[in-house]
Amino acid sequence: MDIWNKRHVTVVISGGIASYKALLLIRQLMKRGATVRVAMTAHAAEFVTPLTFQTLTQQPVVLDEFTATDPKYVVHVALADWTETMIMVPATANLIAKVANGIADDAATTTILATTAPKFVIPAMNSHMYANPAAQRNLNQLVADGLHVLTPATGMLAEGYSGKGRLPEPDVIIDWLTDQLTQLTPNLPLAHQHVLVTAGGTREAIDPVRYISNRSSGKMGYAVAQVAREMGADVTLISATDQLPVPVGVHLVKVASAAELLTAVNAAFPTTNLLVMAAAVSDYRPVQSADQKIKKPADHGDLTLQLTETPDILKQLAPQKTSQYVVGFAAETQHLLTNAQRKLTQKRLDLLVANDVSKPGVGFNGDTNQVTLLRPNQEPVKTALLSKIEIARTILTTAVAGGAVKA
Ligand SMILES: Cc1cc2nc3c(=O)[nH]c(=O)nc-3n(C[C@H](O)[C@H](O)[C@H](O)COP(=O)(O)O)c2cc1C
C-alpha cells in the first residue's frame, strides 16, 4: 500500500518565490491518497493566494489564528494534533531561523512548534542566503533537533544567476519524502543493516576509447539496491553502469573495471552485513591497455588481443568472510543447475541466484527475470517470470529468512 494513502499531511508554505511549486507537490501527495491541509505565512500569501490552496485541497487554509470563528478549536493546536506528517515547502531562511529557535509568532510557526509529527524541511532561497553562516547554523540546528532537511538543488535562480538554493523539482521532493518516511516505519526487515550491492557489466579497457564488456544492464542490481533500501537498509551500490537512475537514499560508488570493482568491494566488505554480487564482472581483460588509440595497421591485417584473467572477486572474499551473508549470481546458457551448485560450494555462498540467460525475458537487459535460488543443503527453488523488483524482493526475503540479519 502507498505510504501516503490516507495520511494526514500538513504543508506549511512560507514566502519564497518557489511558493507556487508547493501546488504541484500538494497535487502529487493528494494523487497518492494523502489528505492535505495548508498553513501559510502572511508573506506566502503575497506570492500565492490562500484561495488557490483552499480550492486545491478542499480544506480551509490556516493563515491567522486570531480571527478564527469556531470557538470549539484553538486553530494551531487542532491542526498540530491532526497532523501525521509536516512538510515545510518552500522553507524560507526566515522560517528556518524561527523554527530553529522555537519562535511561534504566527499560525504557521505555532503549528510547527505544537506538532509531534515528523517534520520535513525543504529550503529554497538565494544561494548567498543559503551559504550564509547564520542560515547554515539554523539548518544544522534543525537536523540536530531531529527534523529532516533536503539539500536544495543547484541551478538557475530567480535572480538570474546560477547557484545552490533552488527548490528541487516536485518528483525529486516526493521521492525524497517517501524514502525518508519509509525509513521511519518501525520494524523494517533490514533496519540497521549495511547492504552492499554490485551492478552492471564491468568495462575492461583496450585503449582510451574501446573496451570489452558484456550485455548486463545493471537493472537487477539496481532493483536489489532499491528494494533493500525500502526494507530499511543502509545501501551502498557499486555500479559499473551510469545508464540507470540511482534509487533514492542509496549511496553510489562508480567503477569501470573488474579491478576497480574489487577494490571498492574490499573496502566496504568488513562493515557489510549482506553482500549481493549482481554485477557481471568480466572474466578476462586485455593484458595491456594501450595509452593511445590503437590505429589500423597500414596492411589492414588482423589484430590479436591477448587477454588475461581478472580477479575472481567472490573467491577472494571467501576467506575474509566473518558474519557476512553473501549472495552470488550465476548467468548460464547451459547446465544451469550443475554450474550453479558448483559455484555455491566453491565460493562459500549463502545464496546463489541462477538464471538461464538463453531464455526469452530472462537475465540481461529486460525488466523481467526468472531465477532459481540455491542454498547450501536445501532444494533449489525456481521462481515464476517476475519483474526484477519482485525478484529482488524474493532474493532479499530469502536472505532474511536464511539468517542474513544477525541478532
Ligand atoms: C520577490 C521575493 C522573493 C523572495 N524569495 C525568497 C526565497 O526564495 N527564499 C527566502 O528565504 N526568502 C525569500 N524572500 C524573502 C522573504 O519573503 C522574507 O524573508 C520574508 O520575511 C519571509 O517571511 P516568511 O518566512 O514568514 O514567509 C523573497 C522576497 C521577495 C520580495
Side-chain angles (χ1 to χ4, degrees):
M1 205 188 34
D2 196 314
I3 200 158
W4 294 105
N5 195 37
K6 297 201 163 57
R7 188 172 286 269
H8 291 182
V9 179
T10 292
V11 175
V12 172
I13 298 157
S14 53
I17 192 70
S19 304
Y20 73 96
K21 285 195 185 166
L23 288 163
L24 307 171
L25 188 75
I26 291 169
R27 274 187 58 167
Q28 289 204 25
L29 292 169
M30 290 175 67
K31 259 194 199 155
R32 301 220 8 202
T35 307
V36 179
R37 293 195 182 170
V38 167
M40 297 174 80
T41 65
H43 281 127
E46 300 279 340
F47 290 87
V48 186
T49 66
L51 182 64
T52 313
F53 289 106
Q54 179 180 304
T55 310
L56 180 70
T57 60
Q58 298 178 335
Q59 302 280 349
V61 168
V62 171
L63 190 61
D64 174 12
E65 54 188 340
F66 293 102
T67 54
T69 47
D70 190 338
K72 285 205 293 293
Y73 301 105
V74 175
V75 171
H76 68 266
V77 175
L79 182 58
D81 289 349
W82 174 88
T83 305
E84 292 170 334
T85 302
M86 169 157 284
I87 307 168
M88 295 161 227
V89 60
T92 56
N94 180 56
L95 183 79
I96 290 163
K98 285 189 189 176
V99 177
N101 289 284
I103 293 172
D105 65 353
D106 61 7
T109 49
T110 312
T111 308
I112 295 167
L113 201 64
T115 190
T116 55
K119 300 179 191 82
F120 301 90
V121 183
I122 307 172
M125 65 196 72
N126 171 272
S127 53
H128 304 307
M129 284 170 85
Y130 181 70
N132 186 293
Q136 287 300 314
R137 196 165 58 237
N138 290 331
L139 285 164
N140 288 338
Q141 186 60 51
L142 295 186
V143 174
D145 290 346
L147 282 75
H148 307 265
V149 179
L150 180 61
T151 305
T154 301
M156 192 52 83
L157 302 168
E159 293 78 356
Y161 54 85
S162 191
K164 186 173 181 177
R166 264 178 72 89
L167 193 81
E169 293 307 315
D171 282 351
V172 174
I173 298 175
I174 285 275
D175 287 350
W176 176 78
L177 287 167
T178 306
D179 177 58
Q180 294 287 309
L181 212 50
T182 304
Q183 298 309 311
L184 297 176
T185 312
N187 304 322
L188 288 173
L190 287 174
H192 314 297
Q193 299 297 300
H194 291 276
V195 174
L196 184 62
V197 184
T198 67
T202 60
R203 279 158 295 163
E204 310 301 327
I206 297 170
D207 66 17
V209 295
R210 304 183 181 95
Y211 57 79
I212 298 175
S213 191
N214 55 63
R215 292 184 189 277
S216 168
S217 64
K219 284 182 181 172
M220 192 62 243
Y222 273 62
V224 171
Q226 180 185 325
V227 174
R229 177 66 184 165
E230 286 166 8
M231 289 168 74
D234 179 9
V235 183
T236 301
L237 173 64
I238 301 176
S239 175
T241 177
D242 47 16
Q243 300 296 310
L244 298 172
V246 181
V248 179
V250 165
H251 315 285
L252 181 74
V253 178
K254 281 191 194 174
V255 294
S257 65
E260 284 176 26
L261 193 127
L262 175 65
T263 306
V265 171
N266 272 335
F269 191 65
T271 54
T272 293
N273 302 108
L274 167 60
L275 168 65
V276 183
M277 280 285 291
V281 181
S282 306
D283 290 330
Y284 292 91
R285 65 172 173 82
V287 172
Q288 279 191 330
S289 161
D291 289 340
Q292 304 296 331
K293 185 180 170 202
I294 300 170
K295 305 296 274 180
K296 259 190 204 174
D299 61 1
H300 295 280
D302 293 342
L303 176 75
T304 304
L305 275 180
Q306 196 187 348
L307 303 180
T308 183
E309 248 186 287
T310 58
D312 185 330
I313 297 174
L314 282 173
K315 213 165 158 185
Q316 289 204 8
L317 286 178
Q320 297 176 42
K321 208 175 143 183
T322 52
S323 60
Q324 292 91 345
Y325 189 100
V326 179
V327 182
F329 276 72
E332 304 285 348
T333 53
Q334 55 183 350
H335 311 305
L336 179 73
L337 285 184
T338 324
N339 289 338
Q341 195 67 53
R342 190 181 320 121
K343 197 167 174 182
L344 180 75
T345 316
Q346 276 179 356
K347 301 191 179 180
R348 286 188 58 201
L349 300 177
D350 299 289
L351 174 62
L352 187 110
V353 184
N355 51 10
D356 180 349
V357 289
S358 65
K359 286 193 184 156
V362 174
F364 291 157
N365 262 318
D367 292 322
T368 55
N369 208 352
Q370 179 178 35
V371 300
T372 304
L373 301 177
L374 293 94
R375 285 161 293 171
N377 311 316
Q378 293 195 44
E379 283 300 307
V381 178
K382 192 172 179 177
T383 71
L385 185 68
L386 299 168
S387 73
K388 285 188 172 170
I389 289 287
E390 283 169 292
I391 294 283
R393 207 164 278 134
T394 307
I395 293 167
L396 291 169
T397 311
T398 306
V400 171
V405 179
K406 311 286 184 294

